[in-house]
Amino acid sequence: MTTILRTYETSINERYIEVATKALRDGQLIVYPTDTLYAIGCDALNARAIERICRLKNINPQKVNLSIICNDISQAAEYVRIDNRAYRILKSCLPGPYTFILPAATTLPKIFKGRKVVGVRIPDNDIARCLAHALGNPLLSASALSETDVDFMHEIVNPEMIARRYESEASFIIDGGEGRTVSSTVVDLTDSSNPVIVREGAGNFEM
């Protein structure tokens, strides 16, 4: 049964952040708001928890880029390689509704090693960033529901319905209010001199 923790960006309940962070450290999954879709996540340094999310979301980590939620660029720099050009781009766009694909560092678990890159998100959402800050390292992140599920659009934005969808998998959902219906814009920055928009979404990226 998923427990709903209701809080808002304007008045974040620190106790709920502590509860959710402890669950993450214990290898549990949680659902939380971002500046785009609600996400399901786990401790990005816990390989077993990552495997659970990959099974749940039918993700093959050898073929699909995994994404992490970070508190800020400094935290991200511990897990991905950011050159000067990439840093300037991140600085100008983040926090914001973007996923930037960057070269992965060796500090990530082995499950990332099949891929040389990782998606980095620093959402414009205080709850998501607060979780990464309190945890002390990134969260592995996947969209709880996809905007392609047009028949379930009401579920995408409704935290209680998302909680019911994941009641057997996620220990907690942080209810930060109604979610959004568009995913992040994905930009490949592996060659920072030539950014490539992989997917257009909520962010308006200008090269």
Side-chain angles (χ1 to χ4, degrees):
M1 185 70 177
T2 301
T3 299
I4 297 175
L5 306 174
R6 188 168 287 111
T7 188
Y8 299 99
E9 286 190 81
T10 53
S11 57
I12 295 177
N13 186 317
E14 297 294 337
R15 171 60 181 155
Y16 287 170
I17 296 296
E18 291 176 8
V19 169
T21 301
K22 183 180 185 304
L24 291 168
R25 290 197 182 106
D26 290 342
Q28 298 174 45
L29 310 187
I30 69 167
V31 176
Y32 54 95
T34 74
D35 53 356
T36 56
L37 304 172
Y38 265 79
I40 185 165
C42 69
D43 182 344
L45 302 186
N46 187 318
R48 187 167 295 178
I50 294 171
E51 289 170 357
R52 281 186 64 197
I53 286 188
C54 288
R55 286 195 302 270
L56 179 63
K57 298 294 295 180
N58 196 27
I59 294 170
N60 182 342
Q62 305 305 315
K63 296 181 179 180
V64 177
N65 292 330
L66 298 175
S67 294
I68 57 176
I69 294 269
C70 298
N71 173 52
D72 54 23
I73 296 175
S74 294
Q75 187 180 69
E78 298 178 36
Y79 302 95
V80 295
R81 298 196 298 276
I82 303 172
D83 63 24
N84 290 336
R85 287 194 198 92
Y87 177 82
R88 287 194 292 271
I89 293 171
L90 298 184
K91 189 74 173 174
S92 67
C93 294
L94 300 174
Y98 299 94
T99 300
F100 288 104
I101 299 173
L102 289 157
T106 57
T107 44
L108 290 167
K110 289 183 179 179
I111 194 167
F112 287 88
K113 297 301 188 287
R115 306 289 291 176
K116 296 181 180 179
V117 299
V118 64
V120 171
R121 288 222 61 207
I122 302 175
D124 187 15
N125 180 286
D126 289 343
I127 294 171
R129 295 200 315 276
C130 191
L131 286 167
H133 175 72
L135 184 61
N137 58 256
L139 286 74
L140 180 91
S141 181
S143 295
L145 296 172
S146 170
E147 73 271 29
T148 58
D149 295 332
V150 292
D151 293 337
F152 303 99
M153 193 63 70
H154 59 293
E155 290 187 31
I156 292 175
V157 302
N158 188 307
E160 292 187 4
M161 290 186 175
I162 296 172
R164 286 198 288 272
R165 174 77 71 96
Y166 287 103
E167 63 182 358
S168 62
E169 298 290 346
S171 299
F172 298 97
I173 178 169
I174 299 182
D175 177 353
E178 187 173 281
R180 300 184 182 179
T181 59
V182 181
S183 57
S184 63
T185 290
V186 179
V187 181
D188 188 337
L189 273 187
T190 51
D191 177 1
S192 60
S193 64
N194 183 34
V196 176
I197 298 175
V198 178
R199 181 186 70 196
E200 293 187 355
N204 183 23
F205 183 78
E206 295 182 1
M207 292 182 285

